[in-house]
Amino acid sequence: MTKTKEYLEHNKKAWDKQALANQQWSLPVSAETVAKAKAGEWELYVLPTPIDKEWLGDVGGKRVLCLASAGGQQAPILSAIGAKVTVLDLSAEQLNKDKEVAMRDDLDLTTVQGDMTNLVMFADNSFDIIIHPISNLYVSDVTKVWRECYRVLSNGGRLISSFYNPVVFIHDKDTKYTAEGVIKPKYKIPYADLRDLSQEQIDEKQNKEEAFVFGHSLQDLIGGQLKAGFLIKEYEEVFQPNPRFVIDHYLPTFIGTVAIKLQ
């Protein structure tokens, strides 16, 4: 499974499965949370901690694209505070979460199923803001995401994104090392399940319908935004509140950025 179409189809099914199981990123915000947002009391998350509201600014009437961020979490809040919201995601079941909240709480938002690396359905300069929470680890080439974001943003528009520090992908995944509190480097960055795992491990992930992931370099995650034409205005690092890996205890492994499309 090396072709883009093949792994994307697999990842779509994997996320459909996660959405149906109501895992963490598929739990929509409550009606109470939406009601508070409509009243002006809100928080937005692309990191484990809420973003600085200055990152977002006044979204009233602004065209906002929630990119690969379905699941009924960011889009309903943005719609409730006055944005004109479009949600794009690979997973139909994830998008259904946003549809359910929109119907429940009388929100106006549009859902589109598609690949974050190819926004051909949107014209140049279609959006004022893009919200892109951690999800680009599910595509092999993150630089395509940045180029498409730059194209569909209006001049002066902003891209608010988050991603993992690639250090989380280098360790040997044998659970014995985690139990011993040992960080044993095994993989180089950039990392790719489909290249770096054994065929047995790949088959296991495929059989379990677990999404294939890619650990992008900082050169592509941050330098790629700059190369696409963005100016990075804000940068934040946050610790993992529920450490999964030994490294999570020693450095903040979540990164968030605000990038501006220069006029």
Side-chain angles (χ1 to χ4, degrees):
M1 182 184 295
T2 57
K3 294 180 181 178
T4 299
K5 185 176 181 181
E6 291 177 342
Y7 84 75
L8 284 179
E9 182 62 26
H10 171 83
N11 281 359
K12 178 176 74 68
K13 292 178 180 178
W15 270 97
D16 283 347
K17 178 181 177 182
Q18 290 193 57
L20 290 170
N22 293 315
Q23 57 81 44
Q24 181 181 5
W25 306 114
S26 304
L27 291 175
V29 293
S30 67
E32 179 184 8
T33 298
V34 172
K36 287 182 178 180
K38 289 180 177 180
E41 184 182 342
W42 59 274
E43 291 181 333
L44 190 75
Y45 292 82
V46 299
L47 293 165
T49 54
I51 67 168
D52 184 331
K53 292 184 179 180
E54 291 185 4
W55 281 22
L56 193 61
D58 181 6
V59 301
K62 296 287 181 66
R63 302 165 299 168
V64 177
L65 172 63
C66 288
L67 181 60
S69 69
Q73 297 180 355
Q74 290 87 19
I77 297 300
L78 290 160
S79 180
I81 61 177
K84 299 177 180 178
V85 182
T86 300
V87 190
L88 180 138
D89 203 275
L90 192 63
S91 165
E93 293 297 340
Q94 279 285 92
L95 289 167
N96 283 339
K97 302 291 185 175
D98 292 277
K99 292 177 183 178
E100 291 167 9
V101 177
M103 183 175 295
R104 182 193 71 195
D105 298 326
D106 192 25
L107 298 173
D108 183 15
L109 55 85
T110 301
T111 60
V112 178
Q113 187 173 12
D115 169 13
M116 72 180 88
T117 67
N118 184 6
L119 306 182
V120 65
M121 68 288 292
F122 303 128
D124 295 358
N125 310 310
S126 292
F127 300 100
D128 304 301
I129 301 170
I130 295 176
I131 304 295
H132 179 50
I134 293 176
S135 54
N136 58 45
L137 72 160
Y138 298 109
V139 294
S140 60
D141 188 352
V142 69
T143 63
K144 291 181 179 179
V145 178
W146 305 140
R147 290 197 296 270
E148 282 292 82
C149 286
Y150 193 87
R151 180 183 66 80
V152 303
L153 274 173
S154 58
N155 288 337
R158 62 183 57 195
L159 164 64
I160 299 173
S161 61
S162 58
F163 37 86
Y164 288 115
N165 186 315
V167 73
V168 302
F169 294 96
I170 70 169
H171 72 282
D172 190 316
K173 297 177 174 60
D174 192 320
T175 55
K176 71 179 182 181
Y177 295 114
T178 301
E180 295 170 358
V182 171
I183 302 169
K184 183 178 183 297
K186 181 175 182 179
Y187 305 107
K188 290 184 177 180
I189 299 299
Y191 167 86
D193 275 349
L194 294 170
R195 181 190 63 237
D196 296 316
L197 296 181
S198 68
Q199 189 58 53
E200 182 181 357
Q201 290 171 311
I202 291 172
D203 291 344
E204 184 179 4
K205 290 198 78 166
Q206 192 166 2
N207 292 335
K208 290 182 177 179
E209 294 185 319
E210 296 177 354
F212 292 115
V213 300
F214 303 85
H216 306 296
S217 67
L218 289 174
Q219 179 68 46
D220 285 345
L221 289 167
I222 296 176
Q225 294 186 62
L226 298 170
K227 190 172 183 179
F230 286 107
L231 168 69
I232 294 181
K233 183 176 182 291
E234 304 287 351
Y235 177 96
E236 184 175 355
E237 294 181 329
V238 177
F239 273 90
Q240 165 67 265
N242 301 298
R244 295 180 299 161
F245 311 120
V246 177
I247 193 67
D248 288 326
H249 295 278
Y250 296 96
L251 60 81
T253 48
F254 288 95
I255 296 174
T257 58
V258 179
I260 308 298
K261 179 175 179 177
L262 298 178
Q263 298 186 28

